[in-house]
Amino acid sequence: MSHPVTQDSSRKLSLTGRSADLFCRVIDNFGDIGVCWRLARCLARDHGWHVRLWVDALDALARIKPQGAAEPGVEVRQWNDDTPLCLPASCVIEAFACDLPPAFVTAMAAQHPPPDWINLEYLSAEAWVEGCHGLPSLDAASGLTKRFFFPGFTARTGGLLRERDLSAQRDAWLADAAARKFDLARLGMAVDAGALQLSLFGYESPSIATLLEALAAHTQPVQLWVPESRSLTVAAEALCRPLRAGDVVRRGALSLHVLAFMDQDDYDRLLWQCDLNIVRGEDSFLRAQWAAQPMLWHIYPQDGGAHLTKLDAFLDRHAEGLPAEVATRLRALHHGWNSANAVPVQDWQTLLGDLPHLASHARQRALALASQDDLATQLVMFNQPPI
Ligand code: TRH
């Protein structure tokens, strides 16, 4: 089916600031749109780009996007196979091989010179990423070449998504008791200053039951903040009661608080204020690292266990500099958490004992990673504007 291509202002905009069409297809969950929204904002805020963010599922974006004020420089449009499309911008970013609409590719091929076509890939710490970052690939149908952009943890990859002022924002918020109190109250969080703070955002895992058991038996009060998510279903089963936003359940030392799903900026604040964050997928996994607090990763499961190789590659890098025995325990816990068998209560207790080591390590890691160019900055340098 062919699509009408309408003229618009993007080419003109590219004369003053660069412009991009960023395409996102929501496969499931919030990671695809989470990453794309963040990238669009970084390109606009930190680099002055004009970004047209094409999303097939606007409802997914509405869940994570701060509501209210528009985002200057980011124009959100819905797309599907029947959506009339516009004249392509000078840079076209295809997120996660989402397959651009054929009519849009035809419109790209009709441009002289054609836009710079970039395929943004998923984040992985695996070594092969360095060899594939930047590689070209011919699109036989259009005769155009697209280039692969691989995020990653090392200098020879495309880097990690991070707003330019993220660390400063985080530190300022943590240092400002009034702002913290105001924001946390807004989220319905009454924080007990003497309690260990944990957040949980993962998939279904049988280890949630043993985690709750370990926290209930902890020697110090614990507040566990659980935004509405797939983990909540398992927590509800373990506690033998339904759970919904606003609920507080007490078991021994543990207070479990269910939070309404919040926007990305508020979710960052939750991560910043916790002593341990359990996160998942790609975007919350990265945000937990920028929170500079200990984290446990629920990796997105893939066929054939491919995700476990990815998990180990991350742990190899992440654990560098930790005492060997702490690193070994952290790896074992990650494997347990990502398996079909429950992590023993004892192992959760050991993790809680390791938190001081993990906290100073997380701060050092975040500092080291933030010394590299962030992903949006690298993408701006990678982009070859049409001559
Ligand atoms: O939602 P996810 O499981 O996304 C996954 C992964 O990205 C995976 O790699 C991908 O293949 C799959 O989607 C399709 O986890 P992730 O990546 O952490 O995304 C969650 C997003 O939701 C992230 O941007 C943070 C955001 N979020 C909020 O905005 N508010 C909240 O309350 C919470 C808990 C999360």
Side-chain angles (χ1 to χ4, degrees):
M1 164 168 213
S2 69
H3 309 267
V5 174
T6 54
Q7 195 81 27
D8 79 351
S9 58
S10 60
R11 285 273 158 172
K12 204 169 113 218
L13 274 162
S14 70
L15 296 175
T16 49
R18 281 188 248 171
S19 59
D21 280 301
L22 168 54
F23 279 85
C24 173
R25 192 187 294 275
V26 176
I27 305 293
D28 63 0
N29 301 328
F30 300 101
D32 306 288
I33 188 57
V35 169
C36 290
W37 171 247
R38 231 180 253 299
L39 173 60
R41 283 211 313 187
C42 283
L43 288 172
R45 285 186 187 181
D46 293 346
H47 301 280
W49 280 34
H50 177 88
V51 182
R52 253 185 328 223
L53 173 59
W54 297 90
V55 189
D56 61 344
L58 287 177
D59 54 335
L61 177 62
R63 297 291 302 279
I64 59 153
K65 174 179 171 307
Q67 300 302 309
E71 182 65 34
V74 181
E75 189 187 329
V76 176
R77 298 214 187 163
Q78 188 168 25
W79 69 290
N80 58 41
D81 285 346
D82 300 322
T83 309
L85 296 167
C86 310
L87 188 69
S90 54
C91 175
V92 175
I93 305 167
E94 175 183 352
F96 313 129
C98 68
D99 283 338
L100 299 182
F104 196 74
V105 178
T106 305
M108 287 162 63
Q111 300 291 307
H112 298 290
D116 187 20
W117 185 356
I118 297 173
N119 191 340
L120 172 69
E121 283 293 335
Y122 286 110
L123 170 63
S124 173
E126 289 164 283
W128 59 263
V129 164
E130 290 189 343
C132 294
H133 177 55
L135 286 184
S137 164
L138 179 69
D139 177 60
S142 63
L144 296 177
T145 296
K146 59 178 156 183
R147 295 179 300 144
F148 288 96
F149 188 97
F150 278 88
F153 292 82
T154 60
R156 292 172 58 200
T157 68
L160 300 168
L161 256 178
R162 171 174 50 84
E163 298 78 4
R164 200 175 266 165
D165 62 351
L166 178 61
S167 311
Q169 265 195 47
R170 180 199 61 208
D171 294 345
W173 187 81
L174 287 170
D176 184 341
R180 271 175 83 166
K181 199 170 163 203
F182 176 83
D183 284 325
L184 295 173
R186 191 169 48 74
L187 296 173
M189 296 174 61
V191 173
D192 169 359
L196 190 68
Q197 301 290 310
L198 268 68
S199 78
L200 168 62
F201 173 55
Y203 309 112
E204 297 81 1
S205 166
S207 296
I208 292 173
T210 53
L211 169 67
L212 299 182
E213 216 180 311
L215 297 179
H218 195 45
T219 47
Q220 178 193 357
V222 182
Q223 285 184 302
L224 174 65
W225 305 98
V226 190
E228 289 165 317
S229 69
R230 289 163 57 180
S231 297
L232 199 58
T233 323
V234 184
E237 278 165 22
L239 295 168
C240 301
R241 53 157 290 172
L243 290 174
R244 60 184 67 84
D247 285 352
V248 182
V249 182
R250 294 198 165 78
R251 295 280 189 280
L254 167 68
S255 302
L256 182 150
H257 303 255
V258 184
L259 297 174
F261 199 85
M262 58 207 90
D263 69 45
Q264 269 188 339
D265 293 345
D266 280 333
Y267 181 59
D268 267 345
R269 295 183 183 106
L270 172 65
L271 297 175
W272 296 345
Q273 78 96 37
C274 281
D275 303 300
L276 171 68
N277 293 301
I278 301 180
V279 288
R280 73 185 203 190
E282 175 161 329
D283 191 56
S284 58
F285 156 70
L286 187 54
R287 300 313 279 190
Q289 291 170 74
W290 295 136
Q293 297 285 17
M295 52 160 276
L296 179 64
W297 185 21
H298 207 166
I299 188 168
Y300 187 80
Q302 286 175 278
D303 290 341
H307 59 292
L308 296 177
T309 309
K310 199 170 157 179
L311 174 65
D312 274 325
F314 168 69
L315 290 170
D316 288 347
R317 292 191 195 286
H318 182 69
E320 269 168 27
L322 269 177
E325 64 283 11
V326 179
T328 304
R329 290 198 288 266
L330 187 67
R331 187 181 298 271
L333 191 81
H334 269 94
H335 278 274
W337 175 243
N338 283 284
S339 81
N341 302 316
V343 166
V345 172
Q346 168 76 52
D347 291 5
W348 286 117
Q349 288 166 338
T350 307
L351 170 74
L352 298 176
D354 281 340
L355 281 182
H357 274 302
L358 296 172
S360 60
H361 182 70
R363 280 192 291 276
Q364 284 162 24
R365 283 288 300 165
L367 267 177
L369 290 175
S371 69
Q372 301 177 357
D373 278 337
D374 66 274
L375 187 147
T377 299
Q378 294 212 41
L379 194 133
V380 167
M381 294 188 295
F382 185 79
N383 173 227
Q384 297 169 348
I387 302 155

